[in-house]
Amino acid sequence: MKPFLSAITGITPILAGGLATALALGTASVALAQSSGKTVVTFAASHFAEVGRGDRLKAWVEKFNQSQPDIEVKPVTIPFSSFATTIFTQMGGNGGPDVIRFDLPEFYAAVAAKSVLPIDDIVKDGAHNFTAADQYMKVEGKRYGFAFDTANYAMVYNAALLPNGTPPKTFEEFVKLGKEATKDGNYGFAFRATMAERGGVWYDLTNFVYGFGGRWSKPDGTPTFNSPEVVAGVAAYKTVYDAGMIPKGTDAATYRRMFWEGKVAMEIDNGGVATILTSQGKAHPIAAAPSPFPHKEQGMILAPVTINANTKVKDAAGKFLQWALQPQQQQELQTLLGAANVATTVERTPEELQAMPWLKVYDAQTPNSVPALPQGLETKAPEIQQIIVQQLLKVLQGGVAPQTAMDEAQRLITARVLAQK
């Protein structure tokens, strides 16, 4: 069996019942391929389990099926909560879907385990107008996928809660406006600051770190967790935490609801969340602006699509991926995904911009978006996140100086994580 990589991906072992379910799904896909008159390609994406968008994505796939006399792509529906566990279990048993849309941490784990195929022979460099995110689709010079969807980060705001209705352009102005907006049960800003939401805290903190010019590591994996720029981002996070402008202790679900109820003035979040805020909070329309930091760089949620190394239908899977990259398919995919971008540069339709004018701000961020994972250390991200968030909470709640905390983070990560073979 191939390595399951539970330590790398943060996936915990599953019970026998769950294992049986995962293996049954893999067996079913094999049987489906054998019983069909066409070559069947199974395609797994957590999007298929989403209400509304899942059906639209299935209809998009069906357009490919209607255009092909000999190939049929079958969507595999697995909820997000169990997606990674199920897929890695299947692949560990030499099975699994032929085409897989991974989140970025699982993508890098699958590449490290040789569980996905290089696709340089399928997707040629220069053949498509890829966005800047494509640079992260190669490992050691080989392409293992392309971006199925990406979500940028920017600042969304409720103009009615801000003085003069205008967003801040500098960090100092941001803190000032946030304090002024905090009154009458309302708050100027919201972010996560509890270990219970460690993953979310990591993304929120990464936006501050990148916004102050920092990176978690150098491209070759050299750790920079205590660099002056990273420390500046942590210090800025502490400044906001101490400013009395956030609802301390609330989780993301709570403060996002507060936002669409008109009780939070500003939030830095990804385009997918902005779509939710728009649909849920029609009484409190949102606007968007670049995050109010000295540097334009912000985090990115990047989800690649790949081909399972266990596939028996690589050529057919490759034809589907080539079809997906054609301009018309990319346009339709971006529209059905909402605020996300796709692999190639696609102009928004007038209808999209009329319904969601804030999309312009998110799309303009694409060249400045950087994955939140530490570069060169992607497969060690869960352990690194644990240490960083622990040290951040000491800064926020324990009075530890940002430099002291990040020096300790650098020491612990070097000794505990990077020393592992």
Side-chain angles (χ1 to χ4, degrees):
M1 292 179 65
K2 293 183 179 180
F4 181 62
L5 294 179
S6 60
I8 292 177
T9 63
I11 302 169
T12 57
I14 60 178
L15 298 176
L19 178 59
T21 299
L23 294 177
L25 284 168
T27 302
S29 66
V30 173
L32 182 64
Q34 292 173 342
S35 63
S36 172
K38 296 183 176 182
T39 299
V40 172
V41 176
T42 50
F43 173 28
S46 58
H47 287 330
F48 289 127
E50 297 176 5
V51 176
R53 188 161 67 167
D55 289 337
R56 293 192 295 272
L57 185 57
K58 290 175 183 177
W60 179 78
V61 171
E62 185 58 28
K63 291 191 66 175
F64 170 80
N65 292 337
Q66 293 174 0
S67 72
Q68 301 293 315
D70 302 317
I71 303 172
E72 182 176 7
V73 174
K74 290 284 188 179
V76 176
T77 302
I78 305 171
F80 175 79
S81 60
S82 58
F83 187 87
T85 302
T86 301
I87 293 298
F88 273 93
T89 301
Q90 291 180 14
M91 291 196 303
N94 297 317
D98 301 298
V99 177
I100 306 167
R101 174 209 173 269
F102 275 120
D103 285 326
L104 196 60
E106 287 72 37
F107 168 75
Y108 281 116
V111 171
K114 302 187 186 306
S115 295
V116 293
L117 296 175
I119 60 170
D120 301 273
D121 56 332
I122 296 171
V123 179
K124 304 292 186 180
D125 287 347
H128 305 280
N129 185 22
F130 286 119
T131 69
D134 189 64
Q135 64 186 296
Y136 304 108
M137 296 294 90
K138 290 187 176 183
V139 178
E140 296 182 353
K142 293 183 179 180
R143 173 183 293 278
Y144 288 88
F146 59 81
F148 191 77
D149 56 290
T150 64
N152 299 326
Y153 279 81
M155 187 177 73
V156 290
Y157 65 94
N158 181 340
L161 297 182
L162 291 176
N164 301 321
T166 57
K169 294 182 179 180
T170 66
F171 181 72
E172 293 73 21
E173 186 183 5
F174 163 64
V175 174
K176 177 178 180 292
L177 292 180
K179 289 180 178 180
E180 293 175 357
T182 304
K183 59 183 179 181
D184 302 326
N186 296 334
Y187 292 89
F189 188 66
F191 61 23
R192 288 162 285 205
T194 65
M195 185 55 74
E197 291 200 293
R198 184 192 78 184
V201 173
W202 172 268
Y203 275 97
D204 289 346
L205 177 61
T206 294
N207 285 322
F208 276 69
V209 167
Y210 288 1
F212 278 81
R215 292 290 185 278
W216 295 119
S217 58
K218 295 180 179 179
D220 64 358
T222 301
T224 56
F225 302 103
N226 62 344
S227 69
E229 295 81 8
V230 170
V231 171
V234 173
Y237 211 83
K238 170 71 168 173
T239 296
V240 174
Y241 186 83
D242 290 344
M245 58 191 276
I246 68 168
K248 291 183 179 179
T250 56
D251 60 15
T254 299
Y255 69 67
R256 286 166 179 165
R257 187 189 71 246
M258 292 171 65
F259 188 100
W260 77 60
E261 291 175 348
K263 297 177 181 178
V264 172
M266 297 176 286
E267 182 184 328
I268 294 174
D269 225 321
N270 66 74
V273 171
T275 303
I276 295 172
L277 299 178
T278 298
S279 62
Q280 294 290 338
K282 291 183 173 60
H284 304 282
I286 73 167
S291 298
F293 301 130
H295 293 258
K296 294 181 179 180
E297 288 77 14
Q298 289 287 262
M300 170 205 297
I301 297 177
L302 171 56
V305 62
T306 64
I307 295 180
N308 187 347
N310 297 322
T311 186
K312 303 298 190 294
V313 291
K314 178 186 175 182
D315 290 345
K319 287 184 179 179
F320 172 60
L321 295 186
Q322 290 171 339
W323 174 87
L325 282 171
Q326 297 308 305
Q328 181 177 346
Q329 280 66 257
Q330 287 282 284
Q331 176 76 66
E332 293 175 356
L333 180 61
Q334 181 163 281
T335 297
L336 74 86
L337 289 174
N341 292 141
V342 286
T344 62
T345 301
V346 176
E347 295 294 327
R348 296 286 180 181
T349 66
E351 293 77 14
E352 288 177 288
L353 293 177
Q354 182 177 1
M356 298 180 287
W358 46 265
L359 278 173
K360 290 182 179 180
V361 174
Y362 275 90
D363 288 348
Q365 180 60 24
T366 297
N368 307 312
S369 292
V370 181
L373 298 179
Q375 195 171 1
L377 303 173
E378 293 89 355
T379 59
K380 300 181 182 296
E383 301 141 288
I384 290 172
Q385 289 175 9
Q386 178 77 15
I387 292 172
I388 292 294
V389 175
Q390 285 174 340
Q391 293 303 313
L392 172 69
L393 295 181
K394 290 181 180 180
V395 172
L396 300 182
Q397 302 168 9
V400 176
Q403 185 69 63
T404 301
M406 299 315 294
D407 284 343
E408 180 66 0
Q410 179 90 350
R411 185 189 70 80
L412 290 172
I413 292 169
T414 301
R416 294 181 183 178
V417 181
L418 304 188
Q420 298 175 10
K421 294 183 180 180

